[in-house]
Amino acid sequence: MDAAFLDLAVPMRDAAGRKTITDEAHLVTVLQEIVGRPHVLTSPEATRRFRTGIRFGSGPVVAVVRPGSLVEQWRVLKACIAADKIVIMQSANTGVTGGSTPDGDDYDRGVVLINTMRIEGLHLINDGTQVVCLPGTTLFHLEKALEKIGRAPHSVIGSSCIGASVFGGVCNNSGGALIHRGPAFTQLALFARLDEAGGLHLVNHLGIALGNDPETILQRVESGDFTAADIFNDPARAASDHEYADHVRDIAAPTPARFNADPRRLFEASGSAGKVMLMAVRLDTFPKEKEQVVFYIGSNDTGELEAIRRHILQRFKTLPIEGEYMHRDSFTCAEVYGKDTFLVINYLGTDMIPRLFALQAAFDNLCRRFIFLPKNLSAKLLQALSHLFPKHLPERMTDYRDRFEHYLLLKMGDEGIAEARAYLTSLFPTKTGDYFECTPDEGDKAFLHRFAAAGAAIRYRAVHDGEVEDIVALDIALRRNDENWFETLPVEIEKHLIRKLYCGHFFCHVFHQDYIVAKGSNCAEIEHAMWKRLDGRGAEYPAEHNVGHLYFAKPAMVDHFKALDPCNAFNPGIGRTTKCAHWMPRGQAPGRSELHCEG
């Protein structure tokens, strides 16, 4: 078999013929031997930040394990299989639908959560036109590495989270803000899976010959111990979506440009949602534009922005780099409740964000021990601290906030700059809109403000916990030919909402809509009513956050999950599917009939 494309079945018995680990205490001991005692967390306090999603989802675990190498990760997996435990894989835990944390306590087996952020690294190959990434690599790490050689990654700083991992993007078909490139996608990956009989396989589809022994393969890919001669460039396997630019230009199509359940982008690890243990991915990189300019467009007419979108997609020779939409309410909320995030990134850099998140989580854990302290104390203190800093947004942006309801941040590169400048100059000013060309500082701050908006709803909920029931967060993809993209809600829904926060990747018609729901309202009923309205519009959802434990997976996605994980041992229950072993219906899990499994 070609070692560049290898599916290696792995015997599970050790030298003494043992296959099973007898109990959870024994498993914890084995895991500690593999990764070291400090990296196996078992107490509720120590595991809380790993087993709780940033917006949704939480549940108990047998342990949180933090391997420090791919070999350790592999050995941890083998121990979990031997103990008949569920495995949930996690990188940065920045997902908003609970897809990388447990969901409740109704699993039919114990859960081990494996966080891979200690396994950081990447290797540039094929003269930097491609990269091999390890599990803990973030988009920040990748962007910095590629900047040195004048290239860029498949995605940039996330629109709904800051600090996202490369693996999270691939597993969730997310990303896509960059209009030329589409969502993160690859057919070249190294991963472990179980077959129908529970046999373990290490599948090397990286297209790199690394040997035939699992631990040798993992050691070599982690250390970069391979040469150009080991790399096979198979034209039948892609490391990005080569068709996306033409796909998004088709403005007459009655279907969305991109969404998680699109069968075009469900391939092995891509769109896997944690149904395999991913070890490495190989992705394309892209030439970085020599010059970039941001055009800031304000309008009180949604039709005016849609006309711009359609004209650019249909007639421009050069596609924009990015085109981000923001509504006034989202702008204002982010100005107040995303200010500290903006300031930290602007002055200290993105590397500080994960560290601050960890410090905040540790502080919150400490505060929970004192029942007299208020809820969400860290968020309230940070919010109060942010008020001490002066105004942080450029004056022209706040002026547009006062004059216009809707904003489009249009980023163009190289020859596309003159094309956009000529078009916008011929178009504006109008009775309802205008634009200005940003200075480099204004352009950076405009996009940073847009991305800080994602966490603003979470901060608002934390600070105003006495009046907020929760957030209903929708991640939707409208039809490419849908000209009426801005929603009007009926009174029976509107009356329950404190705030509606709208942002989006405008040219692909993907929108993130956060609804802050008033105390005492039924969030599930509101969300289901929203879903019904979206179904009537021909929308797809989720668009890029993946199903997690919030959305029902569509048939194509369920089929993909079952093909990858016939034992239902990895991240069961995802997409509101059964949590039972072997995808058994309620009450029929082998040997566990007393448990109530989801149908």
Side-chain angles (χ1 to χ4, degrees), residues 97-118:
T97 58
S100 58
T101 59
D103 179 50
D105 58 1
D106 56 342
Y107 293 89
D108 63 333
R109 295 146 288 165
V111 174
V112 175
L113 192 155
I114 303 175
N115 181 282
T116 61
M117 293 304 289
R118 291 180 63 216

Side-chain angles (χ1 to χ4, degrees), residues 154-156 175-183 241 243-249 257-258 289 309 312-313 318-324 408-412 447 505-509:
H154 64 280
S155 301
V156 290
L178 298 178
I179 299 166
H180 298 82
R181 305 169 199 175
D241 186 349
E243 302 171 353
Y244 183 76
D246 292 332
H247 183 73
V248 76
R249 280 187 183 270
R258 60 184 178 93
E289 293 80 6
R309 169 187 171 268
I312 289 176
L313 288 177
T318 304
L319 281 174
I321 301 169
E322 295 179 77
E324 292 295 304
L408 175 60
L409 286 61
L410 181 65
K411 183 183 289 185
M412 302 297 299
F447 271 88
H505 311 304
F506 192 61
F507 284 84
C508 56
H509 264 186

Side-chain angles (χ1 to χ4, degrees), residues 362-531:
F363 179 81
D364 288 339
N365 276 337
L366 178 63
C367 290
R368 287 187 183 94
R369 300 178 184 179
F370 303 97
I371 59 174
F372 58 86
L373 291 176
K375 287 177 61 180
N376 305 314
L377 181 58
S378 66
K380 292 172 181 177
L381 289 174
L382 287 170
Q383 188 58 37
L385 184 63
S386 72
H387 294 307
L388 301 178
F389 290 87
K391 177 180 175 181
H392 62 292
L393 296 178
E395 185 174 350
R396 288 202 287 184
M397 284 175 59
T398 55
D399 175 60
Y400 266 47
R401 183 268 317 281
D402 297 335
R403 292 173 56 194
F404 304 112
E405 183 180 0
H406 310 278
Y407 323 106
L408 175 60
L409 286 61
L410 181 65
K411 183 183 289 185
M412 302 297 299
D414 295 340
E415 62 270 18
I417 296 171
E419 194 172 13
R421 186 180 289 138
Y423 171 62
L424 294 175
T425 301
S426 71
L427 187 63
F428 290 112
T430 66
K431 292 181 179 180
T432 55
D434 206 347
Y435 89 101
F436 64 87
E437 186 172 324
C438 294
T439 65
D441 181 67
E442 286 175 325
D444 290 344
K445 288 181 176 178
F447 271 88
L448 180 51
H449 182 61
R450 157 68 183 91
F451 295 131
I458 302 171
R459 172 63 60 79
Y460 187 99
R461 177 181 63 182
V463 172
H464 301 281
D465 51 4
E467 63 186 70
V468 175
E469 183 68 28
D470 207 344
I471 300 169
V472 170
L474 294 183
D475 163 38
I476 66 172
L478 300 181
R479 305 186 318 269
R480 283 169 281 174
N481 67 351
D482 191 343
E483 297 186 42
N484 299 312
W485 51 271
F486 191 73
E487 72 176 5
T488 301
L489 293 174
V491 175
E492 56 267 26
I493 294 179
E494 189 86 45
K495 66 182 181 181
H496 295 287
L497 307 180
I498 298 173
R499 292 201 178 196
K500 300 174 295 183
L501 307 176
Y502 299 122
C503 291
H505 311 304
F506 192 61
F507 284 84
C508 56
H509 264 186
V510 167
F511 294 92
H512 304 302
Q513 303 181 169
D514 287 347
Y515 307 92
I516 299 178
V517 181
K519 203 76 171 178
S521 299
N522 189 315
C523 292
E525 288 183 1
I526 292 169
E527 185 164 27
H528 294 164
M530 298 280 198
W531 291 353

Side-chain angles (χ1 to χ4, degrees), residues 66-336:
R66 303 179 66 237
S69 69
L70 290 181
V71 170
E72 287 185 0
Q73 184 177 330
W74 171 253
R75 291 173 181 174
V76 166
L77 174 61
K78 293 175 71 174
C80 292
I81 294 171
D84 190 29
K85 299 302 178 191
I86 286 166
V87 171
I88 295 179
M89 299 303 302
Q90 181 186 91
S91 293
N93 191 19
T94 56
V96 298
T97 58
S100 58
T101 59
D103 179 50
D105 58 1
D106 56 342
Y107 293 89
D108 63 333
R109 295 146 288 165
V111 174
V112 175
L113 192 155
I114 303 175
N115 181 282
T116 61
M117 293 304 289
R118 291 180 63 216
I119 313 173
E120 177 191 333
L122 58 88
H123 308 295
L124 297 176
I125 62 173
N126 290 338
D127 297 320
T129 62
Q130 290 188 324
V131 62
V132 175
C133 292
L134 302 180
T137 306
T138 67
L139 289 173
F140 298 142
H141 298 145
L142 180 55
E143 192 170 10
K144 282 185 176 181
L146 292 176
E147 190 174 8
K148 298 174 184 176
I149 61 170
R151 297 189 71 83
H154 64 280
S155 301
V156 290
I157 179 172
S159 65
S160 55
C161 51
I162 295 174
S165 69
V166 172
F167 274 29
V170 171
C171 291
N172 294 319
N173 289 136
S174 58
L178 298 178
I179 299 166
H180 298 82
R181 305 169 199 175
F185 175 78
T186 186
Q187 295 174 319
L188 299 162
L190 173 66
F191 57 93
R193 63 179 295 270
L194 297 179
D195 61 25
E196 293 83 352
L200 180 62
H201 294 249
L202 182 65
V203 181
N204 179 11
H205 285 172
L206 278 175
I208 303 175
L210 297 165
N212 296 290
D213 170 69
E215 295 199 358
T216 299
I217 291 171
L218 296 171
Q219 287 172 341
R220 290 185 64 189
V221 75
E222 184 170 354
S223 64
D225 180 20
F226 50 84
T227 67
D230 297 315
I231 299 170
F232 180 63
N233 298 305
D234 184 352
R237 286 182 178 255
S240 65
D241 186 349
H242 298 163
E243 302 171 353
Y244 183 76
D246 292 332
H247 183 73
V248 76
R249 280 187 183 270
D250 187 1
I251 60 174
T255 56
R258 60 184 178 93
F259 56 98
N260 289 137
D262 187 349
R264 291 178 62 245
R265 301 184 187 92
L266 298 176
F267 186 92
E268 294 181 349
S270 293
S272 61
K275 300 301 288 183
V276 296
M277 175 179 274
L278 189 56
M279 304 286 199
V281 295
R282 177 175 164 184
L283 296 164
D284 287 335
T285 69
F286 301 86
K288 192 175 180 66
E289 293 80 6
K290 295 178 182 177
E291 184 182 4
Q292 297 182 3
V293 170
V294 174
F295 299 92
Y296 200 98
I297 302 165
S299 181
N300 290 314
D301 180 4
T302 59
E304 188 168 52
L305 293 187
E306 179 61 19
I308 292 171
R309 169 187 171 268
R310 298 175 70 83
H311 179 93
I312 289 176
L313 288 177
Q314 193 169 33
R315 300 189 182 183
F316 268 32
K317 179 180 178 181
T318 304
L319 281 174
I321 301 169
E322 295 179 77
E324 292 295 304
Y325 166 76
M326 202 171 188
H327 184 264
R328 174 188 282 153
D329 290 344
S330 185
F331 184 110
T332 304
C333 188
E335 186 178 13
V336 177

